[in-house]
């Protein structure tokens, strides 16, 4: 579903992302892990065609991010941290606005809305203005916006930032649910404990480089049951 | 529904649900403009009328009895004083008069629109009448008619166009406020649609949608253009409405003020259409510039600080419009961005615009608007601008 090959991004003599290669298959959650400034967000922005790679390329759902940006976007959903949604629109209006870009209108929109409402449990808040919604409800609107067109690839970038314990739990449960539908997810975070819960494979990023990649079980073994410890050991040049 | 329309509707919904923006850009101009434009005139007219009607004490020094009587006839109460100038300076009297060596010296505080200047005016009229009566008496004593002093009559008649007379002393203010309100009205929406989205973090999701950037920018530009024009119409509407109301309801209060009050628009239908077309083209240019500045800014506040000088840039040429009559107009003036629009608006309001001026201004402004829109799209394409945090 996602295949990155030598993906790189430079900013005036600095490699923000340095020749990154990885693949994510169907029904798989890939954890892109690392501290702030490791290059995770830049990587996701390149996959989402928001940034142009300086070198290398990637394919999302079979479409090249350099050659077919609009096709890539049609097959992608993004959930960012911070619950950023248009505050002066209602939940329904936000979803209708974005759904239209994917050609989802009329009856098709109503069907998708029912599907996403049932999946996330959000039917009662749809007609509220976003600015009147709780943090958890906003987060559901953000997720619904990202998956209403049922993208085969979903990118989550620090998606639990600013969430309370209930909303965080709901998001992690959603990740597993969406994986269960056979979709590919890239879960980018600096919170290793979250990755331990939802990821199937992980890649450690540091200084723009992918310094480790393996299955969650392998990484946990490396860190004696902790991804955080595995990350530190890997950076210190341990096993 | 096309992406442009979808984005346009979203932006307009956001504006319509923000009462602050609605109030400041649409409602406030309608309410404020009549007060701002005609309030001082009404106040001054009323004060002038009252000053004429009421009796004011004035300091007098060494005035002949006949002159004192002339002052009393003009509804002034002479009060003897030894220090007329100091009395006026210290505001013990609004005005004072001294007679010495055949000269009447009138003292008043004459800086700005003071009540003192109105009282001085009353004294001048009274003393002029007194002087005229003295001249008449002297001429009659020599067997001459006072008419020898006026062998010919001089009559001045206003030959300006109907449109210019209707606009009156506010002729240059109508284009002035049209430009100001276009800038002001567009600013709030342009910032909200660019730096505002950036700051709130919603821009990334929009740019990640499968929509060509040109359509994103066009949708935002159309919404900004709509509000900018609505604000301009509200502002000019306020002036015209105020002018109509003031002339109809408060004409009595305006006695003593400039009779060419104006503030109305009396144009041919084509001229209204031309006024609108010129405003649309100018707004398109400004909106594109505002979007470029807005997307470059990192935050709402930063965008405001970028756009504030834009307003100042236009103040100088706008103020020069007051003296447009002294300007020897050259065809190339109508190619100077923004200044050409101001000149044309001035000409349209006064009914003096020529077809070639319309063509040059419209053609060049359309070209500039296209370039500015291209710049806006280019700014949206630039990673270092969009992700400049």
């Amino acid at each position: 579903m996602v295949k990155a090959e030598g993906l790189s991004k430079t900013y005036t003599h600095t490699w923000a992302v340095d020749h990154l290669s990885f693949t994510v298959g169907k029904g798989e959650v890939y954890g892109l892990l690392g501290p702030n400034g490791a290059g995770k967000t830049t990587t996701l922005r390149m996959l989402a065609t928001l940034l142009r790679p300086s070198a290398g390329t990637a394919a999302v759902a079979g479409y090249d991010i350099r050659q077919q940006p609009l096709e890539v976007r049609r097959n992608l959903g993004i959930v960012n941290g911070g619950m950023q949604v248009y505050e002066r629109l209602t939940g329904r209006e936000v979803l209708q606005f974005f759904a239209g870009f994917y050609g989802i209108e009329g009856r098709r929109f109503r069907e998708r809305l029912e599907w996403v409402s049932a999946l996330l449990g959000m039917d009662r808040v749809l007609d509220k203005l976003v600015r009147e919604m709780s943090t958890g409800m906003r987060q559901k609107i953000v997720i619904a916006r990202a998956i209403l067109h049922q993208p085969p690839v979903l990118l989550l970038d620090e998606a639990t930032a600013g969430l309370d314990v209930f909303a965080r739990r709901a998001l992690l449960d959603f990740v597993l649910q969406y994986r269960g539908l056979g979709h590919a997810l890239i879960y980018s975070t600096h919170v290793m404990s979250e990755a331990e819960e939802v990821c199937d494979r992980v890649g450690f990023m540091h200084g723009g480089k992918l310094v480790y990649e393996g299955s969650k079980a392998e990484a946990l073994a490396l860190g004696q049951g902790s991804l955080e410890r595995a990350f530190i050991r890997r950076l210190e040049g341990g096993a | 529904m096309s992406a442009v329309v979808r984005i346009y509707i979203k932006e307009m919904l956001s504006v319509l649900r923000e009462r602050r923006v609605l109030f400041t850009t649409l409602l406030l101009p309608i309410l404020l403009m009549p007060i701002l434009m005609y309030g001082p005139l009404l106040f001054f007219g009323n004060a002038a009328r009252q000053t004429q009607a009421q009796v004011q004490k004035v300091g007098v020094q060494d005035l002949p009895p006949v002159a004192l009587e002339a002052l009393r006839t003009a509804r002034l109460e002479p009060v003897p004083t030894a220090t007329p100038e100091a009395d006026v300076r210290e505001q013990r009297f609004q005005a004072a008069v001294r007679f010495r060596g055949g000269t009447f010296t009138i003292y008043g505080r004459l800086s700005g629109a003071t009540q003192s200047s109105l009282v001085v005016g009353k004294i001048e009229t009274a003393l002029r009448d007194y002087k005229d009566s003295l001249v008449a008496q002297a001429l009659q004593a020599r067997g001459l008619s006072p008419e020898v002093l006026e062998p010919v009559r001089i009559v001045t008649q206003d030959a300006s166009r109907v449109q210019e007379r209707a606009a009156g002393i506010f002729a240059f203010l109508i284009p002035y406020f049209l430009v100001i309100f276009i800038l002001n009205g567009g600013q709030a929406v342009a910032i909200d649609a660019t730096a505002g989205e950036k700051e709130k973090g919603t821009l990334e999701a929009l740019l990640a949608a499968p929509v060509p950037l040109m359509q994103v920018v066009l949708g935002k530009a159309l919404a900004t253009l709509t509000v900018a024009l609505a604000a301009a119409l509200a502002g000019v509407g306020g002036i015209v409405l105020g002018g109509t109301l003031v002339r109809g309801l408060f004409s009595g209060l305006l006695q003593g003020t400039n009779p060419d009050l104006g503030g109305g628009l009396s144009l041919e239908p084509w001229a209204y259409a031309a006024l609108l077309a010129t405003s649309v083209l100018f707004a398109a240019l400004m909106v594109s510039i505002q979007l470029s500045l807005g997307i470059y800014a990192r935050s709402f506040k930063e965008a405001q600080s970028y756009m504030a000088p834009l307003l100042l840039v236009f103040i100088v040429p706008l103020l020069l419009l007051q003296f447009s009559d002294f300007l020897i107009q050259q065809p190339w003036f109508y190619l100077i961005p923004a200044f050409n629009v101001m000149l044309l608006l001035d000409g349209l309001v006064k009914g003096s615009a020529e077809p070639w001026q319309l063509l040059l201004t419209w053609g060049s402004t359309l070209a500039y608007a296209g370039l500015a829109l291209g710049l806006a799209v280019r700014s949206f394409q630039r990673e270092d601008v969009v992700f400049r945090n």
Side-chain angles (χ1 to χ4, degrees):
Chain A
M1 276 285 116
V2 179
K3 187 177 182 186
E5 287 179 76
L7 199 59
S8 307
K9 185 72 183 174
T10 53
Y11 295 110
T12 33
H13 312 303
T14 311
W15 288 90
V17 175
D18 192 354
H19 295 87
L20 206 66
S21 298
F22 63 92
T23 56
V24 186
K26 280 184 180 177
E28 184 177 43
V29 180
Y30 185 87
L32 206 52
L33 314 179
N36 293 332
K40 305 186 299 290
T41 299
T42 306
T43 303
L44 296 192
R45 281 177 177 167
M46 282 193 284
L47 291 177
T49 73
L50 292 167
L51 295 178
R52 277 176 293 277
S54 307
T57 191
V60 173
Y63 297 103
D64 188 89
I65 59 169
R66 284 174 179 274
Q67 309 298 328
Q68 299 153 294
L70 288 183
E71 286 306 319
V72 169
R73 291 178 199 181
R74 281 193 192 98
N75 288 280
L76 200 73
I78 306 177
V79 178
N80 288 325
M83 293 74 63
Q84 302 100 338
V85 206
Y86 298 118
E87 299 208 326
R88 286 175 232 146
L89 302 190
T90 64
R92 187 184 303 274
E93 285 165 349
V94 169
L95 299 180
Q96 205 160 11
F97 174 65
F98 280 99
F101 295 136
Y102 300 91
I104 301 168
E105 291 178 282
R107 204 179 75 181
R108 215 166 137 227
F109 171 69
R110 286 191 294 277
E111 285 169 4
R112 287 292 175 91
L113 199 58
E114 270 179 36
W115 167 74
V116 83
S117 295
L119 188 72
L120 301 170
M122 52 180 271
D123 52 333
R124 270 186 281 174
V125 296
L126 280 174
D127 293 313
K128 254 189 175 184
L129 287 176
V130 170
R131 65 179 168 209
E132 293 165 0
M133 289 182 185
S134 66
T135 308
M137 286 304 164
R138 278 172 185 234
Q139 180 220 13
K140 286 182 179 179
I141 297 294
V142 171
I143 297 171
R145 182 205 70 203
I147 64 166
L148 203 68
H149 56 294
Q150 297 179 342
V153 177
L154 185 64
L155 310 179
L156 298 104
D157 188 16
E158 301 288 359
T160 55
L163 295 185
D164 62 29
V165 62
F166 299 106
R168 185 179 150 279
R169 181 72 264 153
L171 185 124
L172 295 176
D173 288 345
F174 160 76
V175 169
L176 296 174
Q177 252 181 305
Y178 203 67
R179 179 188 65 177
L181 297 173
H183 301 306
L185 294 94
I186 299 181
Y187 192 91
S188 159
T189 183
H190 69 282
V191 185
M192 307 286 177
S193 58
E194 287 177 4
E196 285 172 14
E197 278 197 57
V198 297
C199 296
D200 301 304
R201 284 194 308 127
V202 294
F204 292 158
M205 276 194 85
H206 186 69
K209 287 191 167 103
L210 193 66
V211 293
Y212 174 84
E213 191 182 38
S215 70
K216 183 170 74 179
E218 289 164 351
L220 283 173
L222 176 68
Q224 293 166 325
S226 155
L227 286 180
E228 198 170 86
R229 210 175 292 126
F231 181 81
I232 293 166
R233 283 192 73 180
R234 188 66 201 169
L235 280 190
E236 287 172 346
Chain B
M1 192 190 291
S2 81
V4 176
V5 176
R6 192 173 297 282
I7 292 167
Y8 172 80
I9 291 172
K10 191 277 286 177
E11 297 294 350
M12 289 307 293
L13 263 181
S14 295
V15 172
L16 294 172
R17 286 187 183 153
E18 185 64 51
R19 285 185 194 158
R20 180 180 54 82
V21 175
L22 276 184
F23 181 75
T24 54
T25 57
L26 300 181
L27 198 59
L28 201 62
I30 296 178
L31 297 175
L32 204 61
M33 287 316 293
I35 298 169
L36 198 69
M37 304 279 291
Y38 302 100
L41 273 178
L42 282 176
F43 178 78
F44 191 71
N46 192 35
R49 198 171 50 85
Q50 284 183 358
T51 304
Q52 288 297 332
Q54 289 167 356
V55 176
Q56 291 88 26
K57 287 183 180 175
V58 291
V60 292
Q61 188 182 20
D62 304 333
L63 256 65
V66 189
L68 288 173
E69 197 46 45
L71 291 181
R72 287 191 192 97
T73 308
R75 302 186 68 77
L76 293 164
E77 184 186 334
V79 178
T81 174
T83 54
E85 189 175 354
D87 284 350
V88 172
R89 192 182 307 120
E90 301 305 321
Q91 300 191 29
R92 282 189 284 274
F93 298 116
Q94 293 291 353
V97 200
R98 187 182 71 181
F99 183 66
R100 190 165 291 172
T103 302
F104 286 100
T105 306
I106 306 171
Y107 299 97
R109 286 174 296 106
L110 304 175
S111 307
T114 57
Q115 195 182 357
S116 174
S117 61
L118 294 171
V119 178
V120 165
K122 276 176 87 172
I123 296 172
E124 282 174 341
T125 307
L127 292 180
R128 199 174 298 117
D129 290 347
Y130 166 63
K131 188 183 83 173
D132 289 348
S133 71
L134 288 181
V135 170
Q137 281 170 19
L139 289 171
Q140 277 168 355
R142 286 165 180 78
L144 295 168
S145 163
E147 287 178 4
V148 298
L149 293 177
E150 203 176 3
V152 291
R153 284 200 307 146
I154 299 168
V155 177
T156 308
Q157 197 164 331
D158 187 0
S160 56
R161 291 179 179 84
V162 178
Q163 298 91 324
E164 197 169 351
R165 271 208 295 277
I169 55 171
F170 292 143
F172 96 95
L173 285 178
I174 291 173
Y176 178 90
F177 281 110
L178 202 60
V179 169
I180 295 290
F181 281 119
I182 282 174
L183 282 170
N184 193 46
Q187 181 171 315
V189 187
I191 295 179
D192 198 48
T194 52
E197 279 222 40
K198 221 179 189 185
E199 193 174 4
K200 289 174 204 155
T202 51
L203 187 65
E204 203 166 322
L206 177 62
L207 296 181
V211 187
L213 269 179
M214 181 55 138
Q215 294 185 21
V216 173
V217 178
L218 270 181
K220 287 178 180 290
L222 278 177
T224 312
L225 186 74
T226 304
V227 179
L229 287 173
L233 283 177
V236 175
I239 297 173
V240 175
L241 184 75
T244 310
L245 280 176
V246 167
R247 277 193 306 275
L249 301 175
F250 306 109
S251 55
L253 293 179
L254 290 164
Q255 284 172 3
T257 62
N258 194 325
D260 300 328
L261 172 69
L265 281 178
S266 175
L267 308 180
E268 297 289 326
W270 74 265
Y272 280 111
L275 207 61
L276 183 67
T278 312
S279 303
V280 170
L281 287 170
F282 177 69
L285 171 62
M286 288 301 107
V287 158
S288 303
I289 294 172
Q290 286 174 327
L291 286 178
S292 298
L293 289 173
I295 197 67
Y296 184 73
R298 277 174 284 226
S299 65
F300 207 96
K301 269 190 178 175
E302 194 177 310
Q304 279 178 321
S305 68
Y306 289 153
M307 289 188 201
L310 203 60
L311 204 61
L312 292 175
V313 165
F314 292 111
I315 293 282
V316 176
L318 279 169
L319 290 177
L320 283 176
L321 275 188
Q322 288 181 85
F323 312 107
S324 60
D325 215 37
F326 296 92
L327 204 64
I328 300 165
Q329 295 202 7
Q330 307 290 334
W332 59 268
F333 285 179
Y334 290 85
L335 294 173
I336 303 173
F339 187 57
N340 57 357
V341 169
M342 294 170 204
L343 277 179
L344 184 63
L345 289 174
D346 187 57
L348 283 169
V349 167
K350 290 177 178 170
S352 61
E354 300 286 340
W356 65 267
Q357 295 169 341
L358 287 169
L359 288 176
L360 275 186
T361 305
W362 287 356
S364 58
T365 307
L366 188 65
Y368 297 137
L371 284 174
L373 190 69
L375 178 72
V377 175
R378 177 102 186 84
S379 300
F380 272 78
Q381 281 170 338
R382 284 179 54 186
E383 296 169 4
D384 57 331
V385 169
V386 172
F387 295 104
R388 185 172 165 264
N389 293 317

